[in-house]
Every structure is written in C-alpha cells, then in structure tokens.
C-alpha cells in the first residue's frame, strides 16, 4: 500500500490526545504510510456546529477517516450518508469512514469497552450492574454492558432526567433485560445488591481528582470497571484494589476503540497487544514526568 492513509481526530481541547500517537505507531509497525492529524475546533476557531463543513473539507483533502469526540458525536450524524447498525442504535458516532464517495458513521466506544471487559473481567457476574454516569460515553458503555448480558442495569446520574432518557432508549433495544434510572442520592442503595459497578463520569481524571462517592460503598465482591485512563489507576480503582475487589482500568477501552477504528480505516487487523503496551508506556511516562 503506497498511497498515504490520512486520518484525523475532531473535537475540542484535544491537543494532548494519545490517539494520534497510537495510530501512527501502529501504522509504522504495519509498514503503512499512515498519517493521523488533530483537528481541534478550539485551535481552528470553529464551533461544534461547523462539523459538517469540516467533514466536507476532510473528504475533499483525501482523508480516509476521522475519529469524532466531544462535543460532536451526535452533531456529526446529520452530515453522514450511512450509519452502522450499532451507531444508529446508540445515536452517536466516534468513527467516520470515507469510502466510495460516502461518509459512513461507526461507533467503536461500545465495542472498545466490551472487549476490554471481556479481556479484563472474564466471567464477571452480571445479574445486577450499576453504572454511575449516563452522559458522554455513558450510552456506549451501557449498551456494551447489556450486550454482555447484564440482567438488570441501573443507571445512576446527578441528572435523573438524563438517566431516565437513556434508560428508556436502551429498554426498547433490550426488551428482555431491565434498565432502571436512579439519582446519585440513591447510589448506596443501588450498590448494596449489585454484582459490579461501571464508573462513567469524569471523576478520577487528572483534572478531576478524587472519587465520585465514598469508598465505604465498595466491597470485595463488587467488581469495578473504569473508563478513565489518565491516570491508569484512578482513586476509585486504588480504593477497590485495597480491599481486594476485582478491577478494570479504562486503558483497554481506549486502546480497543482505537484498534477497531484502525481496522475500519485501513482494512488491516492491528496488533492489540502491541497497541495496549504502547499506550500503557505513554501514560506511565506522563505520570512519571508529573511525579518528577
């Protein structure tokens, strides 16, 4: 393959994203002429509503594909020609492929979390699962949990209306499973009988240190899955590990969604173990630099 594969990431405040580095490093390992660029709306002085214009220019300039992040995952949909079945169900797109003159939307957030869960928490009990956070990546993560067989999924959010809206949408798609919405005030009651917790809020990120709730609510028999990956060990995961609870970091979700996007863009299967090792080294390097 001699023609350059040009891809990119659209969003706001994405200058520090590790996605370009992960994609280009795997491209080099595959001996591909692979170039991945950041298209930060803030830097370009564009508004999220300009996403359609950006897609048009990307298509004209020969981009093979784009990853889409906050705040454009829903806004981009009206500018696409086709949606994959999962993207249509989720109402969110994080990957766009330009192929045959068409812009085709995919969602690899849900598959990224699902594969990370399968790999990192094999055999985890899924009778009763609580997800804290129903916004942002919440829909994709909840969708993944239900596809994995969560019998009762309780969505807990500081906005009860937001949790209820997502619960209604998912209940239609998974009629044989139960999706319940609760306010964060009811988190303790929800966790009391749960098998596992999925954390899908920004708490724990470098810019939002700490935990979203008291560690007293954790139990050794309650598995904990995180979507935050910078740092790889959030305060939530640290507290869960201290009491011996099974844990899953958000690093795998980030890598596996990139794995799926790379495959969509190139038609080539990437080495997920290599990409995971590379991402882990990058994040650990950042943490070491901060510690110094």
């Amino acid at each position: 393959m001699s023609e350059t594969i040009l891809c990119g990431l659209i969003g706001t405040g994405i200058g520090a994203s590790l996605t370009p580095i992960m994609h280009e490093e795997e491209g080099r390992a595959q001996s591909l002429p692979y170039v991945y660029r950041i298209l930060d709306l803030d830097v370009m002085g564009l508004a999220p509503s300009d996403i359609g214009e950006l897609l048009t220019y990307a298509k004209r300039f020969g981009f093979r594909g784009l990853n889409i992040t906050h705040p454009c995952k829903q806004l981009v949909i009206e500018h696409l020609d086709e949606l994959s079945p999962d993207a249509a169900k989720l109402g969110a797109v994080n990957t766009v492929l330009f192929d045959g003159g068409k812009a085709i939307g995919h969602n690899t957030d849900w598959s990224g979390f699902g594969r990370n869960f399968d790999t990192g928490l094999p055999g985890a009990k899924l009778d009763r699962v609580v997800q804290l956070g129903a916004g942002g990546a919440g829909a994709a993560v909840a969708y993944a949990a239900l596809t994995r067989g969560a019998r009762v999924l309780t969505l807990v959010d500081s906005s009860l209306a937001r949790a209820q809206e997502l619960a209604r949408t998912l209940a239609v798609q998974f009629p044989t499973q139960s999706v319940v919405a609760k306010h964060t005030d009811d988190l303790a009651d929800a966790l009391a009988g749960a098998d596992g917790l999925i954390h899908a809020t920004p708490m724990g990120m470098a810019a939002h240190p700490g935990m979203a709730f008291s560690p007293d609510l954790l139990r050794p028999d309650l598995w904990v899955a995180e979507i935050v990956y910078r740092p790889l060990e959030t305060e939530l995961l640290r507290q869960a590990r201290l009491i011996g609870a099974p844990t899953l970091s958000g690093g795998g979700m980030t890598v596996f969604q990139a794995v799926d996007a790379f495959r969509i863009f190139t038609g080539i299967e990437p080495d997920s173990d290599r990409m995971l090792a590379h991402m882990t080294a990058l994040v650990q390097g950042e943490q070491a630099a901060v510690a110094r």
Side-chain angles (χ1 to χ4, degrees):
M1 185 180 293
S2 59
E3 185 178 347
T4 298
I5 303 170
L6 178 59
C7 300
L9 172 66
I10 294 178
T12 61
I14 54 175
S17 173
L18 298 181
T19 299
I21 303 172
M22 281 197 294
H23 276 260
E24 290 192 341
E25 179 63 24
E26 183 60 20
R28 279 190 289 271
Q30 298 272 4
S31 299
L32 297 175
Y34 195 95
V35 177
Y36 194 105
R37 294 289 178 255
I38 284 181
L39 304 174
D40 192 316
L41 297 176
D42 290 341
V43 173
M44 293 185 291
L46 298 176
S49 58
D50 293 321
I51 183 67
E53 184 179 352
L54 256 183
L55 252 66
T56 298
Y57 280 115
K59 189 174 178 181
R60 288 177 181 171
F61 291 152
F63 275 74
R64 175 63 174 164
L66 295 167
N67 283 128
I68 310 294
T69 190
H70 177 79
C72 298
K73 291 184 181 182
Q74 287 80 36
L75 293 173
V76 72
I77 291 178
E78 66 178 284
H79 304 287
L80 302 176
D81 299 300
E82 293 180 10
L83 292 177
S84 71
D86 292 315
K89 289 176 183 177
L90 285 166
V93 163
N94 78 324
T95 302
V96 175
L97 174 69
F98 297 113
D99 187 37
K102 294 182 178 180
I104 305 166
H106 298 261
N107 189 297
T108 68
D109 283 332
W110 82 271
S111 57
F113 179 84
R115 187 169 173 187
N116 189 37
F117 189 88
D118 295 343
T119 303
L121 288 173
K125 192 175 180 183
L126 290 167
D127 286 343
R128 303 185 71 85
V129 177
V130 173
Q131 178 176 310
L132 179 58
V141 174
Y143 182 84
L146 290 164
T147 63
R148 262 55 190 177
R151 187 172 61 83
V152 179
L153 177 63
T154 301
L155 301 173
V156 182
D157 198 272
S158 57
S159 168
L160 180 58
R162 181 164 55 193
Q164 289 172 331
E165 181 179 0
L166 179 56
R168 282 192 294 268
T169 300
L170 292 170
V172 172
Q173 298 171 24
F174 298 91
T176 63
Q177 293 153 268
S178 178
V179 187
V180 181
K182 290 185 179 293
H183 189 269
T184 47
D185 291 343
D186 299 316
L187 178 61
D189 289 339
L191 286 177
D195 300 310
L197 166 69
I198 299 170
H199 177 244
T201 85
M203 284 298 296
M205 296 173 61
H208 303 280
M211 282 182 61
F213 59 91
S214 170
D216 295 339
L217 299 183
L218 299 172
R219 310 187 312 270
D221 64 336
L222 179 78
W223 56 258
V224 178
E226 177 71 270
I227 69 166
V228 172
Y229 74 99
R230 293 166 94 178
L232 286 172
E233 183 175 74
T234 60
E235 182 63 15
L236 170 60
L237 292 185
R238 191 181 76 82
Q239 293 290 343
R241 285 172 181 155
L242 282 175
I243 63 171
T247 61
L248 179 69
S249 83
M253 176 182 175
T254 299
V255 171
F256 289 128
Q257 65 85 15
V259 164
D260 291 345
F262 187 97
R263 185 191 310 108
I264 290 169
F265 294 154
T266 67
I268 295 172
E269 185 65 37
D271 186 324
S272 58
D273 290 337
R274 180 168 57 211
M275 291 183 72
L276 183 58
H278 182 223
M279 188 279 300
T280 300
L282 288 171
V283 175
Q284 290 176 342
E286 284 183 342
Q287 293 171 210
V290 170
R292 288 196 297 270

